[in-house]
Amino acid sequence: LVEQYFLRYLGDYIAGLDKDNLSVSTWRGQIHLRCARIKQEAVELFNLPFHLLFGEIGDLKINVSWNLLGSRPAAVEVQRFLLLLGPKPIADWKEDEEKRRVQLHRQKRIDQIDLLFSDFLEGS
């Protein structure tokens, strides 16, 4: 179940995300992502005057102690994170387009939260 959520939500921002480079051990609270490319959309979320030339996550490990979730922090370890950005041409930096992009991002987040709650309620 956790793996499906990662594939569904991170797939918008990470290219080639599949079960070969993502391993999830729910009961041990371990998530491991290897050799994944970052998509342009991930950079566009921040609404900056840059575009992605190259992005890669070499190794991402997340450890969550489910039984101590409220009292112990989750540990996130990232190795070989490469992000190469270039400036957007001024012609590409249009205020109307940026407003539209922000609105689309907000709507996508709302849709994802709705989906999370509906999946949670169906599982209850």
Side-chain angles (χ1 to χ4, degrees):
L1 184 65
V2 174
E3 187 174 28
Q4 290 174 352
Y5 284 115
F6 265 84
L7 291 171
R8 183 183 302 163
Y9 297 118
L10 292 181
D12 291 341
Y13 312 110
I14 298 175
L17 184 64
D18 57 32
K19 293 182 180 184
D20 292 334
N21 60 354
L22 176 68
S23 63
V24 177
S25 177
T26 306
W27 298 115
R28 289 191 307 219
Q30 297 175 341
I31 301 162
H32 189 191
L33 176 64
R34 295 171 300 283
C35 298
R37 298 274 179 162
I38 299 168
K39 291 183 181 180
Q40 177 66 34
E41 292 83 356
V43 174
E44 289 176 356
L45 289 175
F46 297 103
N47 195 25
L48 299 172
F50 303 107
H51 67 274
L52 180 68
L53 299 173
F54 178 80
E56 183 177 75
I57 299 170
D59 206 45
L60 171 70
K61 295 178 184 176
I62 302 172
N63 289 308
V64 179
S65 299
W66 297 114
N67 57 340
L68 301 171
L69 193 56
S71 61
R72 188 172 178 195
V76 179
E77 178 184 338
V78 181
Q79 295 178 351
R80 295 183 327 271
F81 178 75
L82 305 171
L83 195 61
L84 180 59
L85 301 172
K88 279 186 186 177
I90 291 177
D92 292 348
W93 191 248
K94 299 175 187 160
E95 187 176 343
D96 290 344
E97 177 65 23
E98 295 307 317
K99 286 179 182 178
R100 185 189 68 77
R101 192 174 298 163
V102 168
Q103 184 60 34
L104 285 174
H105 172 67
R106 287 178 181 161
Q107 186 59 50
K108 190 171 201 171
R109 283 282 166 228
I110 290 169
D111 292 345
Q112 288 175 340
I113 291 169
D114 285 345
L115 185 60
L116 259 173
F117 279 118
S118 66
D119 286 351
F120 177 75
L121 293 174
E122 287 174 10
S124 299

